[in-house]
Amino acid sequence: MNLLVLGGAGYIGSHFVKLSIELEHSVIVVDNLLTGHKESLPKQAKFYEGDIRDRDFLNKVFKDNTIDACIHFAASSLVGESMKDPIKYFDNNVNGTIVLLEMMAKYDVKKIVFSSSAATYGSHEKMPITEDYETNPTNPYGETKLFMEKMMKWADKAYDIKYVSLRYFNVAGASSDSSIGEDHFPETHLIPIVLQVPLEKREYITIFGNDYLTFDGTCIRDYIHVEDLVDAHIKALKYLEEGNSSEIFNLGTETGFSNLQIVETSRKVTGHKLPMKIGSRRLGDPDKLVATYKKAEKILGWKPTKNIEDIISSAWSFHKKHPNGYKE
Ligand code: UDP
């Protein structure tokens, strides 16, 4: 297939591009490189640098290429930042998706796989979360993802654009050959930050709050390996290719780990003492997010294959090999 990957030079996008090229798809990448890295892209991918909010730019990409489907990773994705600067999130995420859907309608592209988020659900007492849970985001990031899903629902009705929205839980890990991985600046995600301690980039890890309603007081998240995650996108494309209707799926593992358990597992994987301090809560964090993946298993034939040790080990291998990320 001819795939247009928006945000393809980002952490998750680049893993998707790598897999798609290995599967012999033809891949066009659009990325504004604000957080993405051109170095993470294989040379077989055709690359356009630009912002999806830029109509003229995106129009040219659609005009110059034959596109069978879009895979939309292009978004700002930090919960904490979104609490401080919600307008940035509505502008980048919602406006970007408006322009993208406009171009898809104009150029008759009828399929999109969309990166959504567990943050669309907000706080719930009963875990694991199924796709029919109420959506009540506790932060602007989740609100924008929910809004983007709703736009797609109406774009389906009006322009017959079929979508698969994948609600990611916590994505982590790196490619099994350690060639690509997570490189954000500044880094905010738990696993890469924890690994900065054994990499001697920070003295200790601060865990944000230990007074949550969980068994050890720290937040619980459901971590999914980035390679499992991108595999679900390939299955979602196949599902759309077969002419199926628009759907929303959770992508998680049905297993939650507390922040303290992540530190403990990282100690085991790295052999480092990993000093830790408890800090105050980070705004917008729900206590616990764990998904079921039964719907994706039943309909897409997908299930996670890697556990938390695999996730942390692969991230550790990547960071040891690339201590300065893509900068070297
Ligand atoms: N977290 C932490 N210290 C850090 C970074 C993150 O305690 O330096 C916590 C964060 O408050 C949350 C969990 O780790 O409870 C996962 O956060 P992350 O940013 O990795 O993902 P999110 O769940 O926000 O998407």
Side-chain angles (χ1 to χ4, degrees):
M1 287 174 89
N2 294 324
L3 305 177
L4 175 62
V5 187
L6 298 312
Y11 165 48
I12 300 171
S14 61
H15 285 80
F16 174 80
V17 170
K18 182 174 188 288
L19 177 61
S20 307
I21 298 274
E22 284 163 9
L23 295 172
E24 298 183 350
H25 291 295
S26 157
V27 179
I28 306 143
V29 171
V30 163
D31 202 296
N32 61 12
L33 297 183
L34 287 183
T35 54
H37 303 276
K38 205 173 165 202
E39 302 82 349
S40 67
L41 293 174
K43 58 180 181 319
Q44 297 93 322
K46 184 171 174 187
F47 178 65
Y48 288 85
E49 183 175 345
D51 196 299
I52 62 169
R53 289 167 295 183
D54 179 343
R55 274 192 175 74
D56 294 338
F57 162 72
L58 204 60
N59 190 59
K60 182 174 165 26
V61 174
F62 273 80
K63 199 161 153 232
D64 290 355
N65 295 281
T66 306
I67 298 162
D68 298 315
C70 293
I71 302 82
H72 182 21
F73 298 100
S76 304
S77 61
L78 304 176
V79 167
E81 184 188 54
S82 80
M83 294 293 282
K84 292 193 186 108
D85 194 359
I87 299 305
K88 171 178 173 180
Y89 277 67
F90 281 92
D91 181 23
N92 194 22
N93 298 1
V94 177
N95 278 346
T97 305
I98 289 174
V99 178
L100 175 61
L101 290 172
E102 202 178 297
M103 293 304 152
M104 289 179 70
K106 179 171 170 189
Y107 288 91
D108 217 22
V109 179
K110 300 290 191 193
K111 298 178 198 75
I112 179 166
V113 178
F114 170 62
S115 304
S116 187
S117 168
T120 53
Y121 290 111
S123 287
H124 289 272
E125 294 222 328
K126 216 167 136 252
M127 296 289 141
I129 293 175
T130 52
E131 289 82 352
D132 54 7
Y133 268 42
E134 213 181 309
T135 44
N136 260 322
T138 55
N139 52 64
Y141 165 64
E143 198 79 74
T144 62
K145 289 282 171 172
L146 187 58
F147 204 82
M148 290 149 89
E149 281 187 356
K150 288 183 178 173
M151 290 197 300
M152 272 176 257
K153 181 181 90 179
W154 294 106
D156 179 359
K157 290 194 201 304
Y159 321 119
D160 197 33
I161 294 174
K162 299 293 170 211
Y163 66 91
V164 167
S165 180
L166 300 172
R167 291 182 175 162
Y168 307 165
F169 282 63
N170 286 60
V171 189
S175 69
S176 31
D177 61 5
S178 306
S179 63
I180 54 174
E182 199 163 358
D183 178 11
H184 297 121
F185 186 78
E187 187 54 74
T188 64
H189 292 117
L190 181 63
I191 291 178
I193 288 192
V194 168
L195 295 177
Q196 285 176 355
V197 181
L199 282 171
E200 295 179 350
K201 288 178 182 283
R202 67 172 70 218
E203 274 176 52
Y204 56 87
I205 169 80
T206 304
I207 292 301
F208 300 144
N210 63 353
D211 56 352
Y212 286 91
L213 294 175
T214 60
F215 75 97
D216 65 12
T218 64
C219 290
I220 291 179
R221 296 288 180 271
D222 180 346
Y223 292 87
I224 170 170
H225 195 289
V226 65
E227 288 187 330
D228 278 335
L229 185 94
V230 296
D231 176 49
H233 293 65
I234 297 290
K235 293 190 161 68
L237 277 172
K238 183 165 170 279
Y239 168 88
L240 289 175
E241 265 290 279
E242 289 164 355
N244 291 302
S245 59
S246 297
E247 272 296 353
I248 295 175
F249 298 99
N250 286 342
L251 294 180
T253 66
E254 252 162 62
T255 318
F257 291 93
S258 74
N259 292 343
L260 294 185
Q261 287 177 314
I262 294 297
V263 175
E264 202 40 59
T265 311
S266 302
R267 287 181 176 133
K268 221 192 298 167
V269 166
T270 63
H272 192 279
K273 280 206 268 320
L274 253 157
M276 180 189 76
K277 292 189 182 174
I278 302 294
S280 48
R281 284 182 174 215
R282 186 177 69 178
L283 283 180
D285 272 345
D287 305 61
K288 191 171 174 184
L289 286 170
V290 178
T292 67
Y293 61 86
K294 290 285 179 289
K295 184 174 171 187
E297 183 175 29
K298 188 163 164 241
I299 298 177
L300 300 179
W302 174 87
K303 64 177 178 182
T305 63
K306 295 176 199 243
N307 65 25
I308 194 66
E309 292 200 8
D310 300 329
I311 291 173
I312 296 176
S313 311
S314 70
W316 179 228
S317 302
F318 171 77
H319 290 297
K320 272 193 301 188
K321 198 166 161 193
H322 309 269
N324 300 312
Y326 292 106
K327 256 196 232 98
E328 301 140 298

